[in-house]
Amino acid sequence: KANTQLFITEQSSGIGTLNNIVVQDLVNNQPHIFRIAAVNAAGTGEFSTTGILTPFGPREHQYCDIKLFMQPNSITDVDSSLIDYSCREKTIDQLATVQVSTESKFGLGSLYFNGVFDSFPNPGTYPHLKINNNSGTTAEDWSLKNEFTIELWAKPSSSSRSDTFMSVYNQFSSESAANSQSNIANYWQLYRTSNTVVFKARNAGTTVTLTADSTSLSNTDFTHIAVSKFNNIGRLYVNGDLKDKQAFNTDINITGTLLIVGADQGFDYDASDTFGIGRGAVNPGSQYIGYIDDIMISNSARYA
């Protein structure tokens, strides 16, 4: 706010000393210039040298901070529900019969993953979504850099199960190459191990793990799960409760083009199969069974 004058009074006898000034309603990550002068009946004294203060905190959320927002709004046509409402408009495809359901947290419906293996086409896979980063038009990928938030609403069929909500991996051209590089290659994933919710990310051998121990998700109500990074701290929330925070000093650089929802893609999801085409098969045992609603990934720390 340019040229805003703040008048601060102090009642004292003789010469008073004021050591602190509190200023509210500043904009986070926006530099503010301060010049301070004393004012009394004789007039205004000299202004101080310029001080510049940049408050830090979560930036004010803007629509195009959202790099993915999917809210299923059709209960009859799954294709009508697979729409990215962010300004990135990413391409979303379903595999192995992802369904839509009237069960929802917001809007008309949600996505339902039944966990049933579909053997056709070869090599066969479990229900999941693949979301392309459309880097040619969006000029972005699935890397996690600077601030970010990953969030969704989930209502699993079982309150305690090992499965995967979403996953992103660097990809290799063959299963053998993926196996040989799996100890150092980059990825991030949000998943459950029994009754523990986990977010894990790795970049060049550095791994960050956030866990919500003893967290049995409801199978009757939707649970909000969110991961955010702000000021080099990663945080994991379940229904708004902070479950874990860890130092998160690295960016996660991802070259893989696909985000998989409903299963773990592994490093060989795009590897060629026997017929020379991308295999598109997720890792067995990682398939999610239940409902997912309102998936959002943001380039800002919405929760800190």
Side-chain angles (χ1 to χ4, degrees), residues 120-132:
F120 182 81
N122 190 67
T125 190
Y126 294 91
H128 64 277
L129 302 180
K130 62 176 185 178
I131 306 176
N132 197 302

Side-chain angles (χ1 to χ4, degrees), residues 164 166-167 169 189 260 262-266 269 281-284 286-287:
T164 301
M166 61 176 68
S167 59
Y169 285 77
Q189 61 178 155
I260 299 301
D264 180 42
Q265 61 180 286
Y269 183 88
V282 294
N283 289 334
S286 69
Q287 67 273 18

Side-chain angles (χ1 to χ4, degrees), residues 155-195:
K155 188 170 83 168
S157 61
S158 172
S159 59
S160 179
R161 187 176 184 273
S162 295
D163 49 23
T164 301
F165 301 106
M166 61 176 68
S167 59
V168 173
Y169 285 77
N170 286 354
Q171 290 294 305
F172 295 90
S173 58
S174 67
E175 291 187 44
S176 60
N179 291 333
S180 65
Q181 298 293 314
S182 61
N183 290 328
I184 59 173
N186 298 353
Y187 70 92
W188 62 261
Q189 61 178 155
L190 181 62
Y191 63 98
R192 289 192 301 170
T193 301
S194 185
N195 64 343

Side-chain angles (χ1 to χ4, degrees), residues 3 17 28 40 42 66 83 94 103 110 113 130 146 150 166 168 178 182 193 211 237 254 276-277 279 288 294 299:
N3 300 319
T17 301
N28 286 328
N40 60 20
I66 303 173
I83 297 175
Q94 57 140 338
E103 297 280 341
S110 67
F113 302 78
K130 62 176 185 178
N146 303 315
I150 301 167
M166 61 176 68
V168 173
S182 61
T193 301
T211 59
Y237 300 89
I254 300 295
I277 59 176
R279 55 194 294 272
Y288 174 78
D294 275 45
N299 288 328

Side-chain angles (χ1 to χ4, degrees), residues 72-86:
N73 274 323
S74 172
I75 58 175
T76 57
D77 180 17
V78 67
D79 289 330
S80 298
S81 287
L82 301 182
I83 297 175
D84 175 17
Y85 288 100
S86 79

